[in-house]
Every structure is written in C-alpha cells, then in structure tokens.
Amino acid sequence: MVAGGVARAVGGGHLPAPEPTLPAQYDPALINADTDLIALARAVLTRTGFDPNRPIAPACARLVPVRLATAELFERYMEVRLRRLPGWRVWAGYHDHNLGPNFWVRPDFLAWHKDGRRVIVDAKYKNFARQKSGGVDEDNSLRPDVYQTLAYSRHRAVRKTLGGEATAIVLCYPARGEENAADRLAAALAGENAAAFRLDDVLLPVILLALPTSSRAD
C-alpha cells in the first residue's frame, strides 16, 4: 500500500537512498505483501540501474541487501502530496534542515496558504487504529506526538517560517482505503471534521488524518 502509492506519487525519482543493510521490517497492517512489495522492489531495481522487466544475468546480479526506511518513505510521500496541493507553500524538515539558532527543532512539514492558514504537519508511520486520546503516556503513543507538535507551535523559528501563529496541527497516518488522498489531505488542512478525527481539548486544533496510500487512491 505505502509502496504502491509512493512509487506512483514520486515517479521513481525521489525515493530515499537505499542502505546496504538487512531488509527492513514492515507493519503487515500497513503494507499489502502481495502487490505493494512488488511495486517497491521494481522501484528499487530501477533506481539501482536494473530493468525489472528484463531477465538479469546471474553474473550481473550483484545487488547488496537493501533496507528501506519506511517511516522516511512515508514522509517523502507526504511531501509530494503537500507540494501538489494548489495554493500551499511547504517547508520540509530534512536531516540537516533545522530551525532555531540554539534550541533546534525539525518539524516534518510547515505549510501555509495565501488565505492565512498556517499548519504544522507531522507524518507518523504508525497504525491509525491504535491512536486514542485517553490513557497515560506509557499506554498511548498519541500523547507524546501531540506534545511534540504543540511544542513546535511555540517555537519562535517555526512561527517565523510560517509567517505567524500556527492555526492547526495535522498528524498524518498511513491507511488502507480507496478515498482520494489529495482530497482528504486538503480537507484536513482546511480543518474539516469530515476528513479526520479532531482533538478539541487544546487551544490549537489537532487533527488526526488517516491518509490512503494505495496507488488506487488518486
């Protein structure tokens, strides 16, 4: 699912660099092993100079094991989705792209629209169904995610990059589904409840979005 959607969205040109280590573990609830891993394997072969549609001679097939960081893969998928939304400008936090002169922070994405919307977007490669608003920190991975992004919203460099106070936070999770991913993302950035689950207990709206990553969700 993630693999198929990313392979289509990025067009094979923006995959993270493969690492010569053991194969990555993946969450079977998020990846369709029958179809998406095949699409991902084709993308890796293409990026390493092989034609996946032609036989590879044994003497030439000297591929090292490849590990794909699926969390980073989802981040890059999110970046492509955000940059394709009309009217939005996007700042992306890469490994060496920090904000702040002393106390550095690196949100995944900051997005702002000409109509005044300013949104902190964080990509979370986690199972959306397991996120819940109640419980203690040790039993609930959502709580530290919310704390993290709320802290971003109070950082001076984040506010400067956005051009003002953030108007919302959107936490994005990969999910199965046939819905149009672009429409759901645009609706979440607009704060529409129909697109996501919304936490209203904090002053800054926090929106949880289950974003379809299937290649058929376009």
Side-chain angles (χ1 to χ4, degrees), residues 105-167:
V105 294
R106 190 173 62 242
D108 288 342
F109 308 103
L110 303 176
W112 58 98
H113 196 276
K114 58 185 178 182
D115 64 5
R117 283 176 286 167
R118 296 178 293 272
V119 184
I120 298 171
V121 182
D122 220 46
K124 300 297 183 184
Y125 190 74
K126 301 177 180 179
N127 192 323
F128 178 78
R130 297 175 184 171
Q131 307 308 309
K132 55 185 179 179
S133 57
V136 297
D137 291 0
E138 292 78 7
D139 302 328
N140 187 353
S141 63
L142 172 61
R143 293 172 68 87
D145 293 343
V146 173
Y147 296 156
Q148 175 191 27
T149 48
L150 284 174
Y152 290 157
S153 72
R154 308 313 301 164
H155 197 281
R156 293 182 186 276
V158 171
R159 294 164 69 181
K160 181 178 180 180
T161 303
L162 283 172
E165 294 272 1
T167 58

